[in-house]
Amino acid sequence: MDDIIILAIETSCDETSAAVVKNGREVLSNIISSQVKLHKVYGGVVPEIASRKHIEVIQGIIQQALDEAGVGFDKLGAIAVTHGPGLVGALLVGVSSAKAMAFALNVPLIGVHHIESHICANFITHRQLEPPFICLVVSGGHSHLVEVKDYCDFNVLARTRDDAPGEAYDKVARVLDLGYPGGPLIDQQARLGNDEAIDFPRAYMEDGSLDFSFSGLKTAVLNYINQQKQAGNSIVVEDVAASFQRAVVDVLVNNTLKGALDNNYDTIALAGGVASNSLLRKEIESKGRDAGLKVYYPEPILCTDNAAMVGCAGYYRLLKGYRADLTLNAHASLSL
Ligand code: KG4
Ligand code: ZN
């Protein structure tokens, strides 16, 4: 079969990214322009600022991706783009660019689901990995436990009933004055603290579902900090970070293992920004191994939002015959 080279675009949140991917798993370039500095002063992503910045940089990023890959427009076999879920104004920038290029070049246009692309990041890091497996997708906006039955064939086993874990990390980091984005900063502080110092709650559903909930934990951390301040006690940031992180990771790991074992999977994968978390990686690896499971996670750069993972997902969609037409639209919410 001839090589299939895909140009992929990702603009669902605050990263403008374009990548060139060969045959699904070979990344020829993956340019990521992060807007984090712009949003930092607001303590979170401001949608209007995100959209405007995507528009400013997208063409340059696409050109950079093609240049770095040494690939001209004439070599492209398809254009893949994230079309949801995400910030609708941000998504629209990528979707419009992709539609224009697919139309001008007369090549297939492929719409990719953001969570599907996060899962596919594993295929790039682990060339031998094939479905079926179970994947925990955890990021700033998502917390999904997904059965990956085949390429492009998913079943969501569990999801968060309130906040995503990344959201909880970012909020807790804010009240601890650690900065933004909070995940990596809490991860760093937690390594210096005692994770048994404070007994924060772990939310497990009473109905036997593997759904997640992190808002109670978030509130418990905020209450603890306020109580300590009111009592005139100093707060040991490292201990709060370590105890909070331990509570998040305990639930993520236990529910993922249970999901895998109950449904007869022998392989677990992680994906999404929170999959960079050092404790989550360590725990799922050791507990997974103890349970006889194989464990995979993408390299850190492929855990954050990036277009290479979109190119990988787009490739498998292309092989299965999926094509979008020029009515492809951006969707703030989109089911998997
Ligand atoms: O996947 P991603 O780049 O964007 C979304 O789709 O949301 O994930 C970003 C999220 C942020 O909430 C960030 O704080 C979190 O991932 N994150 C982490 C770590 N690195 C990034 N959370 C915990 N530990 C980390 N090391
Ligand atoms: Zn993401």
Side-chain angles (χ1 to χ4, degrees), residues 10 12-13 114 118 139-142 272-273 303-306 309:
E10 153 65 39
S12 68
C13 191
H114 187 58
H118 270 303
S139 71
H142 312 283
C303 288
T304 74
D305 291 345
N306 70 91
M309 65 188 192

Side-chain angles (χ1 to χ4, degrees), residues 10 15 18 48 66 71-73 88 105-106 115 135 151 162 174 176 184-185 198 200 202 212-213 235 297 325:
E10 153 65 39
E15 264 93 29
E48 289 77 9
L66 291 168
V71 165
F73 283 114
V88 76
L105 299 170
N106 195 24
I115 292 182
C135 188
Y151 297 106
D162 39 59
R174 200 178 314 158
L176 289 174
L185 301 165
I198 310 143
F200 289 130
R202 277 84 166 143
F212 304 101
S213 165
I235 292 157
Y297 39 78
D325 60 26

Side-chain angles (χ1 to χ4, degrees), residues 8-31:
I9 298 172
E10 153 65 39
T11 61
S12 68
C13 191
D14 61 341
E15 264 93 29
T16 318
S17 181
V20 178
V21 179
K22 187 169 147 185
N23 301 329
R25 299 193 185 209
E26 192 183 331
V27 179
L28 303 184
S29 64
N30 187 23
I31 309 296

Side-chain angles (χ1 to χ4, degrees), residues 4 6 8 24 78-81 110-112 116-117 120 152 308-320 322-323:
I4 298 178
I6 292 184
I79 312 284
V81 64
I110 300 157
V112 170
E116 174 174 7
S117 65
C120 288
C152 315
M309 65 188 192
V310 179
C312 179
Y315 173 79
Y316 289 106
R317 293 221 147 239
L318 187 74
L319 292 192
K320 293 233 172 198
Y322 289 92
R323 301 285 184 279

Side-chain angles (χ1 to χ4, degrees), residues 138-157:
V138 270
S139 71
H142 312 283
S143 178
H144 282 52
L145 188 57
V146 181
E147 284 183 89
V148 183
K149 292 166 173 273
D150 195 355
Y151 297 106
C152 315
D153 184 5
F154 307 99
N155 177 46
V156 178
L157 268 187

Side-chain angles (χ1 to χ4, degrees), residues 217-263:
L217 170 61
K218 188 180 75 184
T219 309
V221 177
L222 303 190
N223 287 344
Y224 171 82
I225 292 170
N226 288 335
Q227 280 158 8
Q228 296 303 309
K229 280 186 181 162
Q230 273 165 13
N233 299 334
S234 60
I235 292 157
V236 184
V237 171
E238 296 85 345
D239 287 353
V240 177
S243 303
F244 161 75
Q245 174 154 289
R246 171 58 67 181
V248 172
V249 169
D250 276 356
V251 175
L252 291 177
V253 170
N254 288 340
N255 285 12
T256 304
L257 288 180
K258 187 163 185 342
L261 296 172
D262 288 357
N263 294 284

